[in-house]
Every structure is written in structure tokens, then in C-alpha cells.
Amino acid sequence: VIVCAQSGDCPRLLAEFAWFEPSLRVASLPDWETLPYDHLSPHQDLVSERLAALHRLARGQLDVLVVAATTAAHRVTPPSFLAARTFEFRKGQTLDEQGLRSQLTLAGYEHVTQVLRPGEYSVRGGLIDLFPMGSELPYRLDLFGDQLESLRTFDPDTQRSLYPVDGVRLLPGREFPLDEAACTAFRGRWRERFEGDPSRATVYRDIGNGIAANGIEYYLPLFFADTATLFDHLPAAAVVVMHGDVQQA
């Protein structure tokens, strides 16, 4: 793990690794690129990249992780949340469409008419379009009855199918849960930590209605009994390298 004092060094190091040693499995943990408690959520592509990096860490699929010091300082979702909310589908398996829709909603995916970005899905008869978090391309699931007959990637711009695949991995749609239990726990922890009438807070009211308000990411600790640090996601034998004046950063 390379912790960079300057965030601009992260993309440069990624490019240099690709040039000097192309066989290394390298990824970055990007920043949300938003200001704390601003009413603005990070771009969905950034959340997708973050979830993919944490998942690859857990699966031992990374040789090098590059992260900015300011990003590494933030609390993150616990490893148990990722493990419990990650699913896989394979061609030929039995798949209940209604159950899948419930699973996608629970995982934080948004139902749309046309899938364009990570975290979205749509259902048209026996076809289910799905753009998993952490994936570069969306997938088209073709159901015959309750059997997954075929899996294909497709171009989100043209909506045309590209090539068949055998399976797809489904990461959670957000870095926090948004089911009824999580929303109830969020509101309880809010009342414990903040004084005043909680019903006057927009964030509190939205969570009560199951809505993820813009900027909700900075309230992440209220969704969990315990959050984690990036270092909780690392294998025991990981080596941490400081690049630049990390302490000052």
C-alpha cells in the first residue's frame, strides 16, 4: 500500500507501475472528491471504483494499492458489510426475477428505464440490464422462465450487446446499507449524537423515508455500530509505504 502525501501522485504512480511492471495487479482507492457535509454526493463512478478496490483487497486480488493520505484518513465501511452484500450470478443457474429485484433494491441499486452508469438496473420482460458497482461495463441477463439462459455485456451508449460472459459479480450499490433496520439505527444514533429537534434536519427526515440525501456519505458512521479504517481491510502481511510528507498531509 502506497500512501501519497499529494493526491496528484496517485494517478502518476499508477501509470508508472503499468509501464515498469505491467503484470502487477494495481488499483487506487479514490477520494470522494466532495467537501465534508456539503450537499453533494460523490460521482457514482468514484464509489464504484472504491468498492471494487476494497473487494479486491478482501479477495487477495491486488499486489499494489495506491491511496492519498487524506483519503486513507477517512473511516470506511467495515469488511463484513462488503462480504455480506456481494453476490455472484452464473449462466445456467436458477434465478427468481422478483427475488433478484428485491436483492438489487436491498443492495442499493436504482431502478431506471435505461441503464447508463454503475448502480443502476432495469427490467424489460425476461431481460434484466444491470450495471454492477466496480464493473467497467453493464450486463444483460436473459431469463428463460426462472433460468439464467445467457449473460452478455453491452455498450451503455448504444445499448447494443458486446460479448457473452459466464458470470457476473454484484457489489453493493453504496458504501452503506439503506434497508429499514439500517435507517432505524441511523436515526437512533443521530438522536444520541445531535441536540435539538431531529425532524428539522433534512438528512434525518430523508433517511426516515428511505431516501439517501445528497452528501449522506459523510454520515456513514451513523449507519454502522462500528466503522473501519482502510488498514482493517488489509491482509496481515501488507507493507505500507509512505510517499512524500504523509505526516504533514
Side-chain angles (χ1 to χ4, degrees), residues 77-115:
T77 186
S80 57
F81 170 73
L82 269 182
R85 301 295 177 105
T86 300
F87 309 99
E88 290 189 359
F89 308 112
R90 301 203 69 80
K91 179 182 174 182
Q93 81 173 69
T94 300
L95 204 60
D96 173 48
E97 181 192 318
Q98 194 57 44
L100 175 60
R101 293 180 70 161
S102 301
Q103 202 172 40
L104 289 170
T105 302
L106 182 66
Y109 282 71
E110 182 183 359
H111 185 262
V112 295
T113 54
Q114 190 177 67
V115 170

PDB file of all heavy atoms in Angstrom, residues 77-115:
ATOM      1  N   THR A  77     -16.447   1.734   5.210  1.00  0.00           N
ATOM      2  CA  THR A  77     -17.379   0.659   5.519  1.00  0.00           C
ATOM      3  C   THR A  77     -16.634  -0.562   6.058  1.00  0.00           C
ATOM      4  O   THR A  77     -15.526  -0.853   5.622  1.00  0.00           O
ATOM      5  CB  THR A  77     -18.178   0.289   4.245  1.00  0.00           C
ATOM      6  OG1 THR A  77     -19.182  -0.654   4.575  1.00  0.00           O
ATOM      7  CG2 THR A  77     -17.282  -0.289   3.176  1.00  0.00           C
ATOM      8  N   PRO A  78     -17.181  -1.280   7.037  1.00  0.00           N
ATOM      9  CA  PRO A  78     -16.483  -2.452   7.576  1.00  0.00           C
ATOM     10  C   PRO A  78     -16.423  -3.593   6.571  1.00  0.00           C
ATOM     11  O   PRO A  78     -17.306  -3.721   5.711  1.00  0.00           O
ATOM     12  CB  PRO A  78     -17.325  -2.838   8.801  1.00  0.00           C
ATOM     13  CG  PRO A  78     -18.665  -2.230   8.559  1.00  0.00           C
ATOM     14  CD  PRO A  78     -18.442  -0.998   7.744  1.00  0.00           C
ATOM     15  N   PRO A  79     -15.394  -4.443   6.638  1.00  0.00           N
ATOM     16  CA  PRO A  79     -15.269  -5.580   5.713  1.00  0.00           C
ATOM     17  C   PRO A  79     -16.492  -6.498   5.735  1.00  0.00           C
ATOM     18  O   PRO A  79     -16.859  -7.065   4.710  1.00  0.00           O
ATOM     19  CB  PRO A  79     -14.015  -6.310   6.209  1.00  0.00           C
ATOM     20  CG  PRO A  79     -13.217  -5.271   6.930  1.00  0.00           C
ATOM     21  CD  PRO A  79     -14.225  -4.353   7.543  1.00  0.00           C
ATOM     22  N   SER A  80     -17.131  -6.635   6.891  1.00  0.00           N
ATOM     23  CA  SER A  80     -18.288  -7.533   7.000  1.00  0.00           C
ATOM     24  C   SER A  80     -19.450  -7.070   6.128  1.00  0.00           C
ATOM     25  O   SER A  80     -20.222  -7.896   5.614  1.00  0.00           O
ATOM     26  CB  SER A  80     -18.746  -7.622   8.460  1.00  0.00           C
ATOM     27  OG  SER A  80     -19.061  -6.333   8.960  1.00  0.00           O
ATOM     28  N   PHE A  81     -19.604  -5.754   5.951  1.00  0.00           N
ATOM     29  CA  PHE A  81     -20.690  -5.235   5.116  1.00  0.00           C
ATOM     30  C   PHE A  81     -20.487  -5.647   3.670  1.00  0.00           C
ATOM     31  O   PHE A  81     -21.417  -6.113   3.004  1.00  0.00           O
ATOM     32  CB  PHE A  81     -20.756  -3.709   5.225  1.00  0.00           C
ATOM     33  CG  PHE A  81     -21.692  -3.065   4.229  1.00  0.00           C
ATOM     34  CD1 PHE A  81     -23.061  -3.162   4.378  1.00  0.00           C
ATOM     35  CD2 PHE A  81     -21.191  -2.378   3.134  1.00  0.00           C
ATOM     36  CE1 PHE A  81     -23.927  -2.580   3.462  1.00  0.00           C
ATOM     37  CE2 PHE A  81     -22.043  -1.796   2.213  1.00  0.00           C
ATOM     38  CZ  PHE A  81     -23.417  -1.893   2.377  1.00  0.00           C
ATOM     39  N   LEU A  82     -19.257  -5.488   3.168  1.00  0.00           N
ATOM     40  CA  LEU A  82     -18.963  -5.877   1.785  1.00  0.00           C
ATOM     41  C   LEU A  82     -19.165  -7.369   1.587  1.00  0.00           C
ATOM     42  O   LEU A  82     -19.729  -7.809   0.581  1.00  0.00           O
ATOM     43  CB  LEU A  82     -17.528  -5.500   1.423  1.00  0.00           C
ATOM     44  CG  LEU A  82     -17.286  -4.123   0.798  1.00  0.00           C
ATOM     45  CD1 LEU A  82     -15.815  -3.943   0.475  1.00  0.00           C
ATOM     46  CD2 LEU A  82     -18.124  -3.931  -0.439  1.00  0.00           C
ATOM     47  N   ALA A  83     -18.693  -8.156   2.537  1.00  0.00           N
ATOM     48  CA  ALA A  83     -18.789  -9.614   2.406  1.00  0.00           C
ATOM     49  C   ALA A  83     -20.243 -10.071   2.370  1.00  0.00           C
ATOM     50  O   ALA A  83     -20.607 -10.968   1.596  1.00  0.00           O
ATOM     51  CB  ALA A  83     -18.050 -10.287   3.562  1.00  0.00           C
ATOM     52  N   ALA A  84     -21.099  -9.441   3.176  1.00  0.00           N
ATOM     53  CA  ALA A  84     -22.496  -9.867   3.273  1.00  0.00           C
ATOM     54  C   ALA A  84     -23.338  -9.381   2.102  1.00  0.00           C
ATOM     55  O   ALA A  84     -24.373  -9.976   1.787  1.00  0.00           O
ATOM     56  CB  ALA A  84     -23.096  -9.364   4.585  1.00  0.00           C
ATOM     57  N   ARG A  85     -22.911  -8.297   1.433  1.00  0.00           N
ATOM     58  CA  ARG A  85     -23.736  -7.701   0.367  1.00  0.00           C
ATOM     59  C   ARG A  85     -23.182  -7.952  -1.028  1.00  0.00           C
ATOM     60  O   ARG A  85     -23.585  -7.290  -1.979  1.00  0.00           O
ATOM     61  CB  ARG A  85     -23.857  -6.193   0.602  1.00  0.00           C
ATOM     62  CG  ARG A  85     -24.489  -5.795   1.936  1.00  0.00           C
ATOM     63  CD  ARG A  85     -25.936  -6.211   2.042  1.00  0.00           C
ATOM     64  NE  ARG A  85     -26.504  -5.883   3.345  1.00  0.00           N
ATOM     65  CZ  ARG A  85     -27.346  -4.882   3.558  1.00  0.00           C
ATOM     66  NH1 ARG A  85     -27.729  -4.121   2.560  1.00  0.00           N
ATOM     67  NH2 ARG A  85     -27.827  -4.664   4.758  1.00  0.00           N
ATOM     68  N   THR A  86     -22.234  -8.869  -1.183  1.00  0.00           N
ATOM     69  CA  THR A  86     -21.670  -9.181  -2.501  1.00  0.00           C
ATOM     70  C   THR A  86     -22.233 -10.518  -2.983  1.00  0.00           C
ATOM     71  O   THR A  86     -22.212 -11.510  -2.252  1.00  0.00           O
ATOM     72  CB  THR A  86     -20.130  -9.254  -2.432  1.00  0.00           C
ATOM     73  OG1 THR A  86     -19.626  -7.985  -1.995  1.00  0.00           O
ATOM     74  CG2 THR A  86     -19.545  -9.567  -3.803  1.00  0.00           C
ATOM     75  N   PHE A  87     -22.747 -10.514  -4.214  1.00  0.00           N
ATOM     76  CA  PHE A  87     -23.364 -11.721  -4.780  1.00  0.00           C
ATOM     77  C   PHE A  87     -22.762 -12.021  -6.148  1.00  0.00           C
ATOM     78  O   PHE A  87     -22.188 -11.142  -6.786  1.00  0.00           O
ATOM     79  CB  PHE A  87     -24.879 -11.549  -4.922  1.00  0.00           C
ATOM     80  CG  PHE A  87     -25.559 -11.070  -3.675  1.00  0.00           C
ATOM     81  CD1 PHE A  87     -25.887  -9.727  -3.518  1.00  0.00           C
ATOM     82  CD2 PHE A  87     -25.863 -11.949  -2.649  1.00  0.00           C
ATOM     83  CE1 PHE A  87     -26.506  -9.272  -2.364  1.00  0.00           C
ATOM     84  CE2 PHE A  87     -26.475 -11.507  -1.500  1.00  0.00           C
ATOM     85  CZ  PHE A  87     -26.804 -10.169  -1.355  1.00  0.00           C
ATOM     86  N   GLU A  88     -22.927 -13.264  -6.592  1.00  0.00           N
ATOM     87  CA  GLU A  88     -22.480 -13.657  -7.928  1.00  0.00           C
ATOM     88  C   GLU A  88     -23.591 -14.427  -8.637  1.00  0.00           C
ATOM     89  O   GLU A  88     -24.311 -15.202  -8.019  1.00  0.00           O
ATOM     90  CB  GLU A  88     -21.201 -14.505  -7.847  1.00  0.00           C
ATOM     91  CG  GLU A  88     -19.979 -13.719  -7.407  1.00  0.00           C
ATOM     92  CD  GLU A  88     -18.689 -14.515  -7.553  1.00  0.00           C
ATOM     93  OE1 GLU A  88     -18.774 -15.692  -7.979  1.00  0.00           O
ATOM     94  OE2 GLU A  88     -17.622 -13.976  -7.234  1.00  0.00           O
ATOM     95  N   PHE A  89     -23.724 -14.180  -9.940  1.00  0.00           N
ATOM     96  CA  PHE A  89     -24.664 -14.914 -10.776  1.00  0.00           C
ATOM     97  C   PHE A  89     -23.890 -15.605 -11.873  1.00  0.00           C
ATOM     98  O   PHE A  89     -22.941 -15.034 -12.418  1.00  0.00           O
ATOM     99  CB  PHE A  89     -25.703 -13.964 -11.402  1.00  0.00           C
ATOM    100  CG  PHE A  89     -26.396 -13.087 -10.405  1.00  0.00           C
ATOM    101  CD1 PHE A  89     -26.172 -11.722 -10.405  1.00  0.00           C
ATOM    102  CD2 PHE A  89     -27.259 -13.620  -9.473  1.00  0.00           C
ATOM    103  CE1 PHE A  89     -26.803 -10.902  -9.490  1.00  0.00           C
ATOM    104  CE2 PHE A  89     -27.896 -12.808  -8.553  1.00  0.00           C
ATOM    105  CZ  PHE A  89     -27.673 -11.448  -8.560  1.00  0.00           C
ATOM    106  N   ARG A  90     -24.309 -16.814 -12.216  1.00  0.00           N
ATOM    107  CA  ARG A  90     -23.639 -17.555 -13.273  1.00  0.00           C
ATOM    108  C   ARG A  90     -24.653 -18.066 -14.289  1.00  0.00           C
ATOM    109  O   ARG A  90     -25.810 -18.354 -13.953  1.00  0.00           O
ATOM    110  CB  ARG A  90     -22.821 -18.719 -12.711  1.00  0.00           C
ATOM    111  CG  ARG A  90     -21.751 -18.282 -11.711  1.00  0.00           C
ATOM    112  CD  ARG A  90     -20.642 -19.292 -11.599  1.00  0.00           C
ATOM    113  NE  ARG A  90     -19.833 -19.356 -12.799  1.00  0.00           N
ATOM    114  CZ  ARG A  90     -18.860 -18.484 -13.085  1.00  0.00           C
ATOM    115  NH1 ARG A  90     -18.601 -17.471 -12.300  1.00  0.00           N
ATOM    116  NH2 ARG A  90     -18.155 -18.631 -14.196  1.00  0.00           N
ATOM    117  N   LYS A  91     -24.204 -18.162 -15.518  1.00  0.00           N
ATOM    118  CA  LYS A  91     -25.056 -18.652 -16.597  1.00  0.00           C
ATOM    119  C   LYS A  91     -25.574 -20.052 -16.264  1.00  0.00           C
ATOM    120  O   LYS A  91     -24.824 -20.910 -15.804  1.00  0.00           O
ATOM    121  CB  LYS A  91     -24.245 -18.677 -17.901  1.00  0.00           C
ATOM    122  CG  LYS A  91     -24.996 -19.190 -19.102  1.00  0.00           C
ATOM    123  CD  LYS A  91     -24.086 -19.216 -20.317  1.00  0.00           C
ATOM    124  CE  LYS A  91     -24.776 -19.869 -21.502  1.00  0.00           C
ATOM    125  NZ  LYS A  91     -23.887 -19.941 -22.684  1.00  0.00           N
ATOM    126  N   GLY A  92     -26.877 -20.272 -16.476  1.00  0.00           N
ATOM    127  CA  GLY A  92     -27.480 -21.568 -16.237  1.00  0.00           C
ATOM    128  C   GLY A  92     -28.109 -21.744 -14.870  1.00  0.00           C
ATOM    129  O   GLY A  92     -28.860 -22.704 -14.650  1.00  0.00           O
ATOM    130  N   GLN A  93     -27.826 -20.828 -13.942  1.00  0.00           N
ATOM    131  CA  GLN A  93     -28.381 -21.003 -12.612  1.00  0.00           C
ATOM    132  C   GLN A  93     -29.853 -20.569 -12.565  1.00  0.00           C
ATOM    133  O   GLN A  93     -30.336 -19.817 -13.411  1.00  0.00           O
ATOM    134  CB  GLN A  93     -27.567 -20.216 -11.576  1.00  0.00           C
ATOM    135  CG  GLN A  93     -27.899 -18.736 -11.493  1.00  0.00           C
ATOM    136  CD  GLN A  93     -27.169 -18.057 -10.339  1.00  0.00           C
ATOM    137  OE1 GLN A  93     -25.950 -17.903 -10.368  1.00  0.00           O
ATOM    138  NE2 GLN A  93     -27.919 -17.637  -9.334  1.00  0.00           N
ATOM    139  N   THR A  94     -30.572 -21.075 -11.561  1.00  0.00           N
ATOM    140  CA  THR A  94     -31.962 -20.697 -11.371  1.00  0.00           C
ATOM    141  C   THR A  94     -32.013 -19.327 -10.704  1.00  0.00           C
ATOM    142  O   THR A  94     -31.294 -19.074  -9.724  1.00  0.00           O
ATOM    143  CB  THR A  94     -32.690 -21.733 -10.501  1.00  0.00           C
ATOM    144  OG1 THR A  94     -32.627 -23.004 -11.151  1.00  0.00           O
ATOM    145  CG2 THR A  94     -34.148 -21.347 -10.306  1.00  0.00           C
ATOM    146  N   LEU A  95     -32.835 -18.444 -11.252  1.00  0.00           N
ATOM    147  CA  LEU A  95     -32.879 -17.066 -10.774  1.00  0.00           C
ATOM    148  C   LEU A  95     -34.331 -16.596 -10.733  1.00  0.00           C
ATOM    149  O   LEU A  95     -35.008 -16.593 -11.757  1.00  0.00           O
ATOM    150  CB  LEU A  95     -32.055 -16.169 -11.711  1.00  0.00           C
ATOM    151  CG  LEU A  95     -31.499 -14.864 -11.156  1.00  0.00           C
ATOM    152  CD1 LEU A  95     -30.559 -15.138  -9.990  1.00  0.00           C
ATOM    153  CD2 LEU A  95     -30.763 -14.104 -12.244  1.00  0.00           C
ATOM    154  N   ASP A  96     -34.788 -16.231  -9.564  1.00  0.00           N
ATOM    155  CA  ASP A  96     -36.144 -15.706  -9.415  1.00  0.00           C
ATOM    156  C   ASP A  96     -36.123 -14.203  -9.673  1.00  0.00           C
ATOM    157  O   ASP A  96     -35.441 -13.458  -8.972  1.00  0.00           O
ATOM    158  CB  ASP A  96     -36.657 -15.997  -8.007  1.00  0.00           C
ATOM    159  CG  ASP A  96     -37.999 -15.341  -7.729  1.00  0.00           C
ATOM    160  OD1 ASP A  96     -38.910 -15.455  -8.573  1.00  0.00           O
ATOM    161  OD2 ASP A  96     -38.123 -14.687  -6.681  1.00  0.00           O
ATOM    162  N   GLU A  97     -36.868 -13.758 -10.697  1.00  0.00           N
ATOM    163  CA  GLU A  97     -36.814 -12.347 -11.089  1.00  0.00           C
ATOM    164  C   GLU A  97     -37.235 -11.421  -9.959  1.00  0.00           C
ATOM    165  O   GLU A  97     -36.567 -10.419  -9.672  1.00  0.00           O
ATOM    166  CB  GLU A  97     -37.712 -12.109 -12.307  1.00  0.00           C
ATOM    167  CG  GLU A  97     -37.689 -10.661 -12.786  1.00  0.00           C
ATOM    168  CD  GLU A  97     -38.781 -10.351 -13.784  1.00  0.00           C
ATOM    169  OE1 GLU A  97     -39.027 -11.196 -14.681  1.00  0.00           O
ATOM    170  OE2 GLU A  97     -39.399  -9.283 -13.658  1.00  0.00           O
ATOM    171  N   GLN A  98     -38.316 -11.751  -9.274  1.00  0.00           N
ATOM    172  CA  GLN A  98     -38.789 -10.905  -8.189  1.00  0.00           C
ATOM    173  C   GLN A  98     -37.789 -10.876  -7.044  1.00  0.00           C
ATOM    174  O   GLN A  98     -37.534  -9.835  -6.430  1.00  0.00           O
ATOM    175  CB  GLN A  98     -40.155 -11.394  -7.686  1.00  0.00           C
ATOM    176  CG  GLN A  98     -40.889 -10.391  -6.793  1.00  0.00           C
ATOM    177  CD  GLN A  98     -41.113  -9.060  -7.472  1.00  0.00           C
ATOM    178  OE1 GLN A  98     -41.504  -8.995  -8.635  1.00  0.00           O
ATOM    179  NE2 GLN A  98     -40.827  -7.971  -6.752  1.00  0.00           N
ATOM    180  N   GLY A  99     -37.191 -12.057  -6.774  1.00  0.00           N
ATOM    181  CA  GLY A  99     -36.175 -12.131  -5.729  1.00  0.00           C
ATOM    182  C   GLY A  99     -34.951 -11.305  -6.076  1.00  0.00           C
ATOM    183  O   GLY A  99     -34.360 -10.650  -5.213  1.00  0.00           O
ATOM    184  N   LEU A 100     -34.573 -11.330  -7.374  1.00  0.00           N
ATOM    185  CA  LEU A 100     -33.420 -10.549  -7.826  1.00  0.00           C
ATOM    186  C   LEU A 100     -33.695  -9.065  -7.671  1.00  0.00           C
ATOM    187  O   LEU A 100     -32.824  -8.306  -7.237  1.00  0.00           O
ATOM    188  CB  LEU A 100     -33.094 -10.890  -9.280  1.00  0.00           C
ATOM    189  CG  LEU A 100     -31.974 -10.066  -9.938  1.00  0.00           C
ATOM    190  CD1 LEU A 100     -30.661 -10.245  -9.173  1.00  0.00           C
ATOM    191  CD2 LEU A 100     -31.791 -10.470 -11.397  1.00  0.00           C
ATOM    192  N   ARG A 101     -34.906  -8.634  -8.037  1.00  0.00           N
ATOM    193  CA  ARG A 101     -35.252  -7.219  -7.910  1.00  0.00           C
ATOM    194  C   ARG A 101     -35.185  -6.781  -6.448  1.00  0.00           C
ATOM    195  O   ARG A 101     -34.691  -5.691  -6.134  1.00  0.00           O
ATOM    196  CB  ARG A 101     -36.640  -6.962  -8.486  1.00  0.00           C
ATOM    197  CG  ARG A 101     -36.715  -7.162  -9.990  1.00  0.00           C
ATOM    198  CD  ARG A 101     -38.095  -6.893 -10.540  1.00  0.00           C
ATOM    199  NE  ARG A 101     -38.439  -5.496 -10.486  1.00  0.00           N
ATOM    200  CZ  ARG A 101     -39.408  -4.944 -11.225  1.00  0.00           C
ATOM    201  NH1 ARG A 101     -40.097  -5.684 -12.076  1.00  0.00           N
ATOM    202  NH2 ARG A 101     -39.686  -3.669 -11.119  1.00  0.00           N
ATOM    203  N   SER A 102     -35.661  -7.626  -5.544  1.00  0.00           N
ATOM    204  CA  SER A 102     -35.597  -7.314  -4.114  1.00  0.00           C
ATOM    205  C   SER A 102     -34.149  -7.247  -3.646  1.00  0.00           C
ATOM    206  O   SER A 102     -33.774  -6.371  -2.847  1.00  0.00           O
ATOM    207  CB  SER A 102     -36.355  -8.376  -3.304  1.00  0.00           C
ATOM    208  OG  SER A 102     -37.701  -8.439  -3.694  1.00  0.00           O
ATOM    209  N   GLN A 103     -33.329  -8.173  -4.159  1.00  0.00           N
ATOM    210  CA  GLN A 103     -31.913  -8.217  -3.810  1.00  0.00           C
ATOM    211  C   GLN A 103     -31.200  -6.951  -4.287  1.00  0.00           C
ATOM    212  O   GLN A 103     -30.387  -6.367  -3.560  1.00  0.00           O
ATOM    213  CB  GLN A 103     -31.283  -9.453  -4.463  1.00  0.00           C
ATOM    214  CG  GLN A 103     -30.004  -9.925  -3.800  1.00  0.00           C
ATOM    215  CD  GLN A 103     -29.557 -11.266  -4.394  1.00  0.00           C
ATOM    216  OE1 GLN A 103     -29.636 -11.494  -5.594  1.00  0.00           O
ATOM    217  NE2 GLN A 103     -29.089 -12.148  -3.538  1.00  0.00           N
ATOM    218  N   LEU A 104     -31.518  -6.511  -5.497  1.00  0.00           N
ATOM    219  CA  LEU A 104     -30.904  -5.307  -6.056  1.00  0.00           C
ATOM    220  C   LEU A 104     -31.312  -4.060  -5.271  1.00  0.00           C
ATOM    221  O   LEU A 104     -30.484  -3.183  -4.997  1.00  0.00           O
ATOM    222  CB  LEU A 104     -31.282  -5.151  -7.527  1.00  0.00           C
ATOM    223  CG  LEU A 104     -30.649  -6.157  -8.490  1.00  0.00           C
ATOM    224  CD1 LEU A 104     -31.293  -6.062  -9.872  1.00  0.00           C
ATOM    225  CD2 LEU A 104     -29.148  -5.927  -8.609  1.00  0.00           C
ATOM    226  N   THR A 105     -32.583  -3.997  -4.909  1.00  0.00           N
ATOM    227  CA  THR A 105     -33.064  -2.855  -4.131  1.00  0.00           C
ATOM    228  C   THR A 105     -32.393  -2.824  -2.763  1.00  0.00           C
ATOM    229  O   THR A 105     -31.955  -1.762  -2.293  1.00  0.00           O
ATOM    230  CB  THR A 105     -34.593  -2.929  -3.960  1.00  0.00           C
ATOM    231  OG1 THR A 105     -35.198  -2.959  -5.257  1.00  0.00           O
ATOM    232  CG2 THR A 105     -35.112  -1.730  -3.190  1.00  0.00           C
ATOM    233  N   LEU A 106     -32.276  -3.997  -2.131  1.00  0.00           N
ATOM    234  CA  LEU A 106     -31.617  -4.097  -0.830  1.00  0.00           C
ATOM    235  C   LEU A 106     -30.153  -3.693  -0.925  1.00  0.00           C
ATOM    236  O   LEU A 106     -29.596  -3.076  -0.016  1.00  0.00           O
ATOM    237  CB  LEU A 106     -31.735  -5.534  -0.303  1.00  0.00           C
ATOM    238  CG  LEU A 106     -31.132  -5.799   1.076  1.00  0.00           C
ATOM    239  CD1 LEU A 106     -31.901  -5.051   2.154  1.00  0.00           C
ATOM    240  CD2 LEU A 106     -31.133  -7.297   1.382  1.00  0.00           C
ATOM    241  N   ALA A 107     -29.523  -4.021  -2.058  1.00  0.00           N
ATOM    242  CA  ALA A 107     -28.095  -3.699  -2.249  1.00  0.00           C
ATOM    243  C   ALA A 107     -27.878  -2.232  -2.604  1.00  0.00           C
ATOM    244  O   ALA A 107     -26.734  -1.795  -2.721  1.00  0.00           O
ATOM    245  CB  ALA A 107     -27.510  -4.587  -3.343  1.00  0.00           C
ATOM    246  N   GLY A 108     -28.980  -1.481  -2.802  1.00  0.00           N
ATOM    247  CA  GLY A 108     -28.839  -0.053  -3.067  1.00  0.00           C
ATOM    248  C   GLY A 108     -28.829   0.323  -4.527  1.00  0.00           C
ATOM    249  O   GLY A 108     -28.417   1.435  -4.878  1.00  0.00           O
ATOM    250  N   TYR A 109     -29.277  -0.579  -5.411  1.00  0.00           N
ATOM    251  CA  TYR A 109     -29.310  -0.273  -6.843  1.00  0.00           C
ATOM    252  C   TYR A 109     -30.602   0.477  -7.190  1.00  0.00           C
ATOM    253  O   TYR A 109     -31.645   0.255  -6.581  1.00  0.00           O
ATOM    254  CB  TYR A 109     -29.193  -1.557  -7.669  1.00  0.00           C
ATOM    255  CG  TYR A 109     -27.784  -2.076  -7.744  1.00  0.00           C
ATOM    256  CD1 TYR A 109     -27.162  -2.639  -6.623  1.00  0.00           C
ATOM    257  CD2 TYR A 109     -27.037  -1.991  -8.911  1.00  0.00           C
ATOM    258  CE1 TYR A 109     -25.861  -3.101  -6.666  1.00  0.00           C
ATOM    259  CE2 TYR A 109     -25.736  -2.452  -8.981  1.00  0.00           C
ATOM    260  CZ  TYR A 109     -25.149  -3.004  -7.854  1.00  0.00           C
ATOM    261  OH  TYR A 109     -23.854  -3.450  -7.904  1.00  0.00           O
ATOM    262  N   GLU A 110     -30.491   1.354  -8.184  1.00  0.00           N
ATOM    263  CA  GLU A 110     -31.619   2.194  -8.581  1.00  0.00           C
ATOM    264  C   GLU A 110     -32.292   1.629  -9.824  1.00  0.00           C
ATOM    265  O   GLU A 110     -31.624   1.326 -10.815  1.00  0.00           O
ATOM    266  CB  GLU A 110     -31.121   3.617  -8.853  1.00  0.00           C
ATOM    267  CG  GLU A 110     -32.207   4.594  -9.229  1.00  0.00           C
ATOM    268  CD  GLU A 110     -31.659   5.970  -9.572  1.00  0.00           C
ATOM    269  OE1 GLU A 110     -30.424   6.161  -9.487  1.00  0.00           O
ATOM    270  OE2 GLU A 110     -32.468   6.836  -9.943  1.00  0.00           O
ATOM    271  N   HIS A 111     -33.628   1.522  -9.777  1.00  0.00           N
ATOM    272  CA  HIS A 111     -34.373   1.033 -10.937  1.00  0.00           C
ATOM    273  C   HIS A 111     -34.612   2.187 -11.901  1.00  0.00           C
ATOM    274  O   HIS A 111     -35.157   3.228 -11.528  1.00  0.00           O
ATOM    275  CB  HIS A 111     -35.711   0.427 -10.497  1.00  0.00           C
ATOM    276  CG  HIS A 111     -36.473  -0.190 -11.621  1.00  0.00           C
ATOM    277  ND1 HIS A 111     -37.493   0.465 -12.268  1.00  0.00           N
ATOM    278  CD2 HIS A 111     -36.346  -1.394 -12.235  1.00  0.00           C
ATOM    279  CE1 HIS A 111     -37.977  -0.301 -13.232  1.00  0.00           C
ATOM    280  NE2 HIS A 111     -37.297  -1.447 -13.225  1.00  0.00           N
ATOM    281  N   VAL A 112     -34.170   2.035 -13.157  1.00  0.00           N
ATOM    282  CA  VAL A 112     -34.274   3.089 -14.175  1.00  0.00           C
ATOM    283  C   VAL A 112     -34.862   2.487 -15.454  1.00  0.00           C
ATOM    284  O   VAL A 112     -35.002   1.270 -15.582  1.00  0.00           O
ATOM    285  CB  VAL A 112     -32.881   3.713 -14.480  1.00  0.00           C
ATOM    286  CG1 VAL A 112     -32.336   4.435 -13.252  1.00  0.00           C
ATOM    287  CG2 VAL A 112     -31.897   2.636 -14.950  1.00  0.00           C
ATOM    288  N   THR A 113     -35.198   3.359 -16.402  1.00  0.00           N
ATOM    289  CA  THR A 113     -35.720   2.872 -17.684  1.00  0.00           C
ATOM    290  C   THR A 113     -34.594   2.445 -18.618  1.00  0.00           C
ATOM    291  O   THR A 113     -34.760   1.541 -19.437  1.00  0.00           O
ATOM    292  CB  THR A 113     -36.567   3.954 -18.374  1.00  0.00           C
ATOM    293  OG1 THR A 113     -35.793   5.156 -18.474  1.00  0.00           O
ATOM    294  CG2 THR A 113     -37.828   4.227 -17.562  1.00  0.00           C
ATOM    295  N   GLN A 114     -33.416   3.101 -18.494  1.00  0.00           N
ATOM    296  CA  GLN A 114     -32.270   2.755 -19.331  1.00  0.00           C
ATOM    297  C   GLN A 114     -30.999   2.830 -18.494  1.00  0.00           C
ATOM    298  O   GLN A 114     -30.716   3.850 -17.879  1.00  0.00           O
ATOM    299  CB  GLN A 114     -32.170   3.709 -20.523  1.00  0.00           C
ATOM    300  CG  GLN A 114     -31.145   3.274 -21.563  1.00  0.00           C
ATOM    301  CD  GLN A 114     -31.123   4.212 -22.766  1.00  0.00           C
ATOM    302  OE1 GLN A 114     -30.739   5.371 -22.672  1.00  0.00           O
ATOM    303  NE2 GLN A 114     -31.558   3.697 -23.911  1.00  0.00           N
ATOM    304  N   VAL A 115     -30.240   1.739 -18.484  1.00  0.00           N
ATOM    305  CA  VAL A 115     -29.034   1.649 -17.653  1.00  0.00           C
ATOM    306  C   VAL A 115     -27.873   2.383 -18.326  1.00  0.00           C
ATOM    307  O   VAL A 115     -27.507   2.079 -19.465  1.00  0.00           O
ATOM    308  CB  VAL A 115     -28.666   0.170 -17.415  1.00  0.00           C
ATOM    309  CG1 VAL A 115     -27.297   0.051 -16.768  1.00  0.00           C
ATOM    310  CG2 VAL A 115     -29.724  -0.500 -16.558  1.00  0.00           C
TER     311      VAL A 115
END
